Amino acid sequence: MPIITLLTDFGTADSYVAEMKGVLLSRAPAATLVDISHQIPPGDIQAGQFVLSRTWQRFPAGTVHLAVVDPGVGSERRALAAQSDGHRFMAPDNGLLSFLPRESRFVSLVVAADAAPTFHGRDVFAPAAASLAGGGLIESLGTTITDPHQSPLPSPHHDGTRVIGEVIYIDRFGTLISNIERSAVEPGIRIRIGDVDVGPLRRTFADAARGALVAVRARGGPSRLPCATAARRGCWESVWGQKYGRDRNDKGTVIIPSLFRP
Amino acid sequence: MPIITLLTDFGTADSYVAEMKGVLLSRAPAATLVDISHQIPPGDIQAGQFVLSRTWQRFPAGTVHLAVVDPGVGSERRALAAQSDGHRFMAPDNGLLSFLPRESRFVSLVVAADAAPTFHGRDVFAPAAASLAGGGLIESLGTTITDPHQSPLPSPHHDGTRVIGEVIYIDRFGTLISNIERSAVEPGIRIRIGDVDVGPLRRTFADAARGALVAVRARGGPSRLPCATAARRGCWESVWGQKYGRDRNDKGTVIIPSLFRP
Amino acid sequence: MPIITLLTDFGTADSYVAEMKGVLLSRAPAATLVDISHQIPPGDIQAGQFVLSRTWQRFPAGTVHLAVVDPGVGSERRALAAQSDGHRFMAPDNGLLSFLPRESRFVSLVVAADAAPTFHGRDVFAPAAASLAGGGLIESLGTTITDPHQSPLPSPHHDGTRVIGEVIYIDRFGTLISNIERSAVEPGIRIRIGDVDVGPLRRTFADAARGALVAVRARGGPSRLPCATAARRGCWESVWGQKYGRDRNDKGTVIIPSLFRP
């Protein structure tokens, strides 16, 4: 019973996700469908990449991951299938899969002539995902390529004794997630976000007073996942918003976490 | 393994959808449950009808579609089961199923005396849907009727050389979806929404500049589905809202797409 | 095919729910996953308790309910498994399971040393839930305890001829749900919310004019579930908000429903 995960920016109000699921279950009736997220901000390839990169390895090998954040749908951008570490992926060739290792296999999908130019999720990616779930090989879906579009998440840089990263994602709780690797965060270092001293790393959220900022290490699991320097759960509006006057749109531009030894 | 789809205006925060799913899985343990949408605006039968009409034929024959947008729950309005083209439907008799062909079969459900007058979704429709998923016939659930309530989506009218329709749905991306059939949209025609010239039909969203309006043909699939004259993805607030001063509540009243040859 | 339900305050935008589902399906591939809600307000244990208490008995015996509203994650608070009436539960020991009968069995989970202190949902509760779904016993997961943290929903009090309760939950439709038992609501009594006379109990929402307040009895199902004194569907903003100047945060403090005979 293969698993097919779905990640899109379609939201859950409209018919689009269900149209894809209807196609999937018509062609792969035994598949188990799991939503990763449909709340990726419209067209935000970086957010989609981050969420999928954190999630895919939690699923068993053999899982098919169907990811559609596709502002260029129907244009000249290619449609991809990929395989890595026993997992299979379907996504537009716009950088959404940039987290995959270089040695992954990539295929440029054949796009059927009657596919709607505005909805490849339903007419291109879902049929291909169902084919893989039914035992098909990615090579059967198109032409092998070696130059997928790469837009990896930004890397932190090292500046003498400091590691300077940026906030790449903000979650529902107001947690700011940076791109700094866990291994760069050693005991005793203090963390700043912009000009705000967040203090040293703590073990968990409850190690700081309610409403205070706290930095914790994310345990995203496998390597290659970013480290989180997080604000206290739920504090975004009350702390960052009201106290520091930040706006959610500051993400990645104004807020610069930097790590340094005291 | 029958599929049961669910469409409601219940949202996903409260317990209501899960209460229905508990009833469904208690009575039809092998059913595959698929959410179509639970974000239909409260009581908006037209939006529910539109979303379900776009979706149901994507699922395989035999699927049971459970649709509850039911402002008159517990009143004299009947509770329906219906069958069309191998699909089965459960819904209140308030027009939610008006997209079904006239030759569909309709049954008025027997409502158990202990059903909560405020929650037929859980106590009337879910048990009936589970019965169908288990192999029951719609005729076993009540009395055949031939006069279901009809509130079809509005039709466009033809005015000499023009087709005048209206916006019947706005999706997450700000796409305005009109009720004009694909066949009415011929190459070369220009499209207006209200007094705004959107230009000729394009193939896909990327065929217009970012932030510009673009009209595309929807490929809803089977016939009887409306045609979309869409704004550029994501542009609702920035284009319609800020530039043209529209409000989302203008839907269907002020905004009148009209198609005409140049 | 065991069912595992999930209730969290994680939202559905981020990766967290899917990370848990990946763990569950990796370890219990035949499990059927059902979302109860992921929209519990962050850290709101009372809301989580209410939603789960209304829902769990709708599922068949044998179901595993995985509930994570866990502001104290990684702190000294224990992690629990519980069993009651053939159902099994996983939750932090913070009162989320206070609706369970006193005679339920409780186990304090062993927390693996490599569990992320910030994400017990994925690293502690999900593996334990998968173990139970696979046939494990709750006693195998840790040490039996008899003193789980108890934070039951508030009880109404009886004041001569009046029953005075409070609003414990507001749903998507603006329905105010009180903690007054169905049995306390006798025919003929009038209901007040704060200083507003809502009138006598009606049978269903449609028994009042559109936009008017209406009180109905909830049929939550099994006993021990609260009674709803509800406002007309969808009226929260227009009636409570604009007419009575209420704020959603008034919940449970200012708004006091009281029931009295006329």
Side-chain angles (χ1 to χ4, degrees):
Chain A
M1 195 187 320
I3 297 169
I4 302 174
T5 76
L6 296 96
L7 176 139
T8 74
D9 61 353
F10 295 171
T12 54
D14 305 319
S15 62
Y16 307 129
V17 171
E19 291 182 64
M20 291 204 301
K21 290 182 177 177
V23 171
L24 290 169
L25 291 174
S26 294
R27 295 168 179 241
T32 297
L33 306 185
V34 180
D35 298 307
I36 291 182
S37 175
H38 300 293
Q39 307 294 347
I40 303 299
D44 190 338
I45 295 164
Q46 175 169 311
Q49 183 186 161
F50 173 73
V51 170
L52 187 54
S53 72
R54 250 190 89 93
T55 314
W56 67 280
Q57 285 171 303
R58 299 287 169 190
F59 286 87
T63 298
V64 178
H65 304 279
L66 173 50
V68 187
V69 179
D70 195 8
V73 61
S75 68
E76 293 300 307
R77 72 101 187 85
R78 296 174 296 192
L80 295 185
Q83 183 158 341
S84 181
D85 208 12
H87 291 246
R88 279 84 55 87
F89 300 83
M90 319 295 313
D93 186 24
N94 60 15
L96 194 53
L97 299 180
S98 299
F99 59 88
L100 289 179
R102 293 231 161 224
E103 64 271 21
S104 308
R105 275 183 290 151
F106 292 91
V107 164
S108 176
L109 296 177
V110 173
V111 174
D114 64 347
T118 55
F119 200 174
H120 281 191
R122 181 191 65 201
D123 294 350
V124 176
F125 296 115
S131 167
L132 297 183
L137 301 176
I138 69 167
E139 286 76 9
S140 70
L141 298 171
T143 313
T144 296
I145 64 165
T146 55
D147 61 343
H149 185 86
Q150 291 285 331
S151 302
L153 296 173
S155 295
H157 65 275
H158 294 246
D159 167 19
T161 58
R162 302 187 306 173
V163 180
I164 301 177
E166 61 187 277
V167 173
I168 54 173
Y169 192 83
I170 301 177
D171 74 13
R172 159 176 168 92
F173 299 101
T175 308
L176 310 180
I177 298 172
S178 84
N179 59 347
I180 297 173
E181 299 284 334
R182 288 177 59 195
S183 58
V185 188
E186 292 167 42
I189 59 170
R190 298 183 72 85
I191 291 152
R192 286 189 306 162
I193 298 181
D195 51 0
V196 179
D197 184 352
V198 185
L201 271 183
R202 308 298 178 97
R203 202 173 143 277
T204 189
F205 303 107
D207 292 334
R210 189 168 179 75
L213 297 175
V214 57
V216 297
R217 281 190 213 189
R219 297 270 184 94
S223 60
R224 274 180 286 111
L225 290 183
C227 154
T229 49
R232 180 107 175 79
R233 290 198 162 200
C235 82
W236 176 258
E237 277 73 18
S238 63
V239 176
W240 285 111
Q242 293 170 25
K243 192 163 166 193
Y244 294 105
R246 308 284 186 186
D247 185 274
R248 271 185 183 265
N249 294 325
D250 291 348
K251 180 179 70 157
T253 54
V254 177
I255 302 168
I256 311 285
S258 57
L259 294 108
F260 59 98
R261 294 173 188 281
Chain B
M1 196 187 321
I3 296 170
I4 302 175
T5 77
L6 296 97
L7 175 139
T8 74
D9 60 354
F10 294 171
T12 54
D14 305 319
S15 62
Y16 307 129
V17 171
E19 292 183 63
M20 291 203 301
K21 290 183 177 177
V23 171
L24 291 169
L25 291 174
S26 293
R27 294 167 181 242
T32 297
L33 307 185
V34 179
D35 298 308
I36 292 182
S37 174
H38 300 293
Q39 308 294 346
I40 303 300
D44 190 339
I45 295 163
Q46 175 168 311
Q49 183 186 161
F50 173 73
V51 170
L52 187 55
S53 73
R54 250 189 91 94
T55 313
W56 68 279
Q57 286 170 303
R58 298 288 169 191
F59 287 87
T63 297
V64 178
H65 303 280
L66 173 50
V68 188
V69 179
D70 195 7
V73 61
S75 69
E76 293 301 306
R77 72 100 187 85
R78 295 174 297 191
L80 295 185
Q83 183 158 341
S84 181
D85 208 13
H87 291 246
R88 281 83 55 85
F89 300 84
M90 320 295 313
D93 186 24
N94 59 16
L96 193 54
L97 298 180
S98 299
F99 59 88
L100 289 179
R102 292 230 161 228
E103 63 271 23
S104 308
R105 276 184 288 150
F106 291 91
V107 164
S108 176
L109 295 178
V110 174
V111 174
D114 64 346
T118 54
F119 200 174
H120 281 191
R122 181 192 64 201
D123 294 350
V124 176
F125 296 114
S131 167
L132 297 183
L137 302 177
I138 68 167
E139 286 77 7
S140 70
L141 297 171
T143 313
T144 297
I145 64 165
T146 55
D147 61 343
H149 185 86
Q150 291 284 331
S151 303
L153 296 173
S155 294
H157 65 276
H158 294 246
D159 167 19
T161 57
R162 301 187 307 172
V163 179
I164 301 177
E166 60 188 277
V167 172
I168 55 172
Y169 191 83
I170 302 177
D171 74 12
R172 160 178 168 92
F173 298 102
T175 308
L176 310 180
I177 298 171
S178 84
N179 59 347
I180 296 172
E181 299 284 333
R182 289 178 57 194
S183 58
V185 188
E186 293 167 40
I189 59 171
R190 299 183 71 86
I191 290 153
R192 286 188 304 161
I193 298 181
D195 52 1
V196 180
D197 184 352
V198 185
L201 271 183
R202 309 297 179 95
R203 204 173 142 276
T204 189
F205 302 107
D207 292 334
R210 188 169 179 76
L213 296 175
V214 57
V216 298
R217 280 192 213 187
R219 298 269 183 94
S223 60
R224 275 179 285 111
L225 289 185
C227 153
T229 46
R232 179 105 174 81
R233 291 200 162 198
C235 81
W236 177 259
E237 277 73 18
S238 61
V239 178
W240 285 112
Q242 293 170 26
K243 191 163 166 195
Y244 295 104
R246 307 284 186 186
D247 184 273
R248 272 186 182 265
N249 294 325
D250 291 348
K251 180 180 70 158
T253 54
V254 176
I255 302 168
I256 310 286
S258 58
L259 292 108
F260 59 98
R261 295 170 190 282
Chain C
M1 196 187 319
I3 297 169
I4 302 175
T5 77
L6 295 97
L7 175 138
T8 74
D9 61 353
F10 294 170
T12 54
D14 306 318
S15 62
Y16 306 128
V17 170
E19 291 183 64
M20 291 203 301
K21 290 182 177 177
V23 171
L24 290 169
L25 291 174
S26 294
R27 295 168 180 241
T32 297
L33 306 185
V34 180
D35 297 309
I36 292 182
S37 174
H38 299 294
Q39 307 294 347
I40 303 299
D44 190 338
I45 295 164
Q46 175 168 312
Q49 184 186 161
F50 173 73
V51 171
L52 187 54
S53 73
R54 251 189 89 93
T55 314
W56 67 280
Q57 286 171 303
R58 297 288 168 191
F59 287 87
T63 297
V64 178
H65 303 280
L66 174 49
V68 188
V69 179
D70 196 7
V73 60
S75 68
E76 294 300 306
R77 73 100 187 83
R78 295 174 296 192
L80 295 186
Q83 183 158 341
S84 181
D85 208 15
H87 291 246
R88 280 84 55 87
F89 300 84
M90 320 295 313
D93 186 24
N94 59 15
L96 193 54
L97 299 180
S98 299
F99 59 88
L100 289 179
R102 292 230 161 226
E103 64 271 21
S104 308
R105 275 184 289 150
F106 291 91
V107 164
S108 175
L109 296 177
V110 174
V111 175
D114 63 347
T118 55
F119 200 174
H120 281 192
R122 181 190 65 200
D123 294 350
V124 176
F125 295 114
S131 168
L132 296 183
L137 301 176
I138 68 167
E139 286 76 9
S140 71
L141 298 171
T143 313
T144 297
I145 63 165
T146 55
D147 62 341
H149 185 88
Q150 291 285 331
S151 303
L153 296 173
S155 295
H157 66 274
H158 295 247
D159 167 19
T161 57
R162 301 188 306 174
V163 180
I164 301 175
E166 61 187 278
V167 172
I168 54 173
Y169 192 82
I170 302 176
D171 74 12
R172 161 177 166 91
F173 298 101
T175 308
L176 309 181
I177 298 172
S178 84
N179 59 347
I180 296 173
E181 298 284 335
R182 289 178 57 195
S183 57
V185 187
E186 293 167 40
I189 58 171
R190 296 183 73 84
I191 291 152
R192 286 189 305 162
I193 299 181
D195 53 0
V196 179
D197 184 352
V198 185
L201 271 183
R202 308 298 178 97
R203 201 172 144 277
T204 189
F205 302 107
D207 292 334
R210 190 169 178 76
L213 296 175
V214 57
V216 297
R217 280 190 212 188
R219 297 269 183 94
S223 61
R224 276 180 285 112
L225 289 184
C227 154
T229 48
R232 181 105 174 80
R233 290 197 163 202
C235 82
W236 176 259
E237 277 73 18
S238 62
V239 177
W240 285 112
Q242 293 170 26
K243 191 163 166 193
Y244 295 105
R246 308 285 185 184
D247 184 274
R248 272 186 183 264
N249 294 323
D250 291 349
K251 181 180 71 157
T253 54
V254 176
I255 302 167
I256 311 286
S258 57
L259 293 108
F260 59 98
R261 294 172 190 281

